[in-house]
């Protein structure tokens, strides 16, 4: 396995690469372009494209991002003396192997060396994370995710009179997505009663949001579905759960319906539901102790969790901790994209990493290296460490 953090070969090669393009020697940028290209191919050609090693025999029909990524790899193979020239078919084949095993020695972090670009016949979690760093990311996923978020804000705002009511509405809606990867028309009726505000056409805002997040399937009065008992995501057949970090097993449950049930759209599940599992575990551990001093998704998601130790109600007053919770496949890509929301001006600012990521060898070191010089005053903790630290600080609070 060849995993490199510095450019192999003579330093003159790096100089030549920089003359061609200042960022050409940045292999993560190349991977981001390839990932954006894979997302575009998936959106344009759907499942048929994954039936062969090379989705399209015609390079002119491939997304510009993919072509740019392959071109950058071509320059790299020529400069590094790699015997295997990077054609489109080569790169599609490489994408199905771990990054550390590509014929071209990529400069990627050790913790990323086992990641794939294509996994189980579609862009991997790493590829989706990489594509989101570019403006040319998956247009379908971007549309679904952004539209879901915009409508969630609209539902919260149209159904609240005060800032506190709007925030509480937002928390309830975000929590719904985390707890309901599968929903029913009975659940939808409950949402319609809780959030009755309508738009100018008389349509409930919450129904628009719901139909953006879920796709409907017909059902009788009840339907039995397979679920993972760890994360509650649906499982078809007898396959294992594919949610990152989940070790749950298949169980069957009855979903009560009137005539329909609903499955989360893939983009909503991948970018809102699955990352929310770590957040939900933290809420469940902390809420019994902190009560109303625990603020889930504080400031309409400025941060994922905030704790008001002194019960002041204002982040500028008293001791506040704020945490942004992340569950990303690549520590290096997370570090390259991470920004702290300036509205969350807490005394302690903490980047909480989902426990299964934190425990991966090299993950935290690669994250810290990637953040160095870019983000100041932010601590890195695991889920368990954050919960323990908050509990310990609460135990020292004067009664």
């Amino acid at each position: 396995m060849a995993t490199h953090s510095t450019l192999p070969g003579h330093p003159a090669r790096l100089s030549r690469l920089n003359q061609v393009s200042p960022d050409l020697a940045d292999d993560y940028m190349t991977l981001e372009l390839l990932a954006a290209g894979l997302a575009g191919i998936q959106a344009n050609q759907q499942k048929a494209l994954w039936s062969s090693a090379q989705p399209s025999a015609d390079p002119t029909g491939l997304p510009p991002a993919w072509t740019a990524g392959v071109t950058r790899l071509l320059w790299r193979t020529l400069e590094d003396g790699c015997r295997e020239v990077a054609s489109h078919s080569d790169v599609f084949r490489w994408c199905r192997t771990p990054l550390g095993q590509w014929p071209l020695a990529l400069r990627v972090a050790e913790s990323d060396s086992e990641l794939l670009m294509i996994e189980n016949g579609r862009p991997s979690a790493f590829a989706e994370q990489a594509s989101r760093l570019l403006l040319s990311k998956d247009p379908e996923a971007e549309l679904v995710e952004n539209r879901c978020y915009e409508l969630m804000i609209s539902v919260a705002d149209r159904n609240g009179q005060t800032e506190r009511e709007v925030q509480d509405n937002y928390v309830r809606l975000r929590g719904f997505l985390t707890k309901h990867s599968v929903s029913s028309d009975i659940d939808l009726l409950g949402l319609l009663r809780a959030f009755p505000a309508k738009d100018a056409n008389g349509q409930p805002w919450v129904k628009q949001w719901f139909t953006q997040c879920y796709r409907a399937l017909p059902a009788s009065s009840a339907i039995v579905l397979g679920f993972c008992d760890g994360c509650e995501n649906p499982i078809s057949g007898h396959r294992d759960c594919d949610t990152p970090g989940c070790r749950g097993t298949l169980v069957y449950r009855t979903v009560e319906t009137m005539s329909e049930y609903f499955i989360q759209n893939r983009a909503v599940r991948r970018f809102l539901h699955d990352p929310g599992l770590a957040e939900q575990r933290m809420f469940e551990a902390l809420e019994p102790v902190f009560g109303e001093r625990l603020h889930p998704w504080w400031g309409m998601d400025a941060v994922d969790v905030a704790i008001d130790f002194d019960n002041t109600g204002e982040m500028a007053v008293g001791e506040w901790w704020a945490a942004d919770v992340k569950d990303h496949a690549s520590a290096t890509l997370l570090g390259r994209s991470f920004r702290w929301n300036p509205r969350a001006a807490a005394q302690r600012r903490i980047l909480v990493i989902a426990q299964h990521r934190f425990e991966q060898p090299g993950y935290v070191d690669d994250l810290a290296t990637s953040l160095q010089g870019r983000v100041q005053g932010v601590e890195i903790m695991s889920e368990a460490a954050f919960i323990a630290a908050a509990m310990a600080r609460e135990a020292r609070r004067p009664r």
Side-chain angles (χ1 to χ4, degrees), residues 179-193:
K179 296 173 183 176
H180 293 83
S181 59
V182 175
S183 188
S184 72
D185 46 12
I186 297 174
D187 296 323
L188 177 56
L189 285 177
L191 289 171
L192 289 168
R193 286 192 293 267

Side-chain angles (χ1 to χ4, degrees), residues 299-317:
M300 304 286 276
D301 219 9
V303 286
D304 295 313
V305 60
I307 300 176
D308 181 3
F309 283 96
D310 297 326
N311 201 25
T312 63
E314 295 184 44
M315 189 168 277
V317 181

Side-chain angles (χ1 to χ4, degrees), residues 143-159 170 173 199 204-213:
L143 176 63
V144 171
E145 181 191 3
N146 289 352
R147 186 60 178 155
C148 171
Y149 183 78
E150 291 167 1
L151 285 171
M152 189 156 47
I153 296 292
S154 297
V155 175
D157 182 62
R158 301 309 197 278
N159 287 276
Y170 180 84
L173 294 166
D199 64 14
W205 285 98
V206 74
K207 187 173 183 180
Q208 296 182 49
W209 169 76
F210 187 90
T211 55
Q212 185 69 46
C213 297

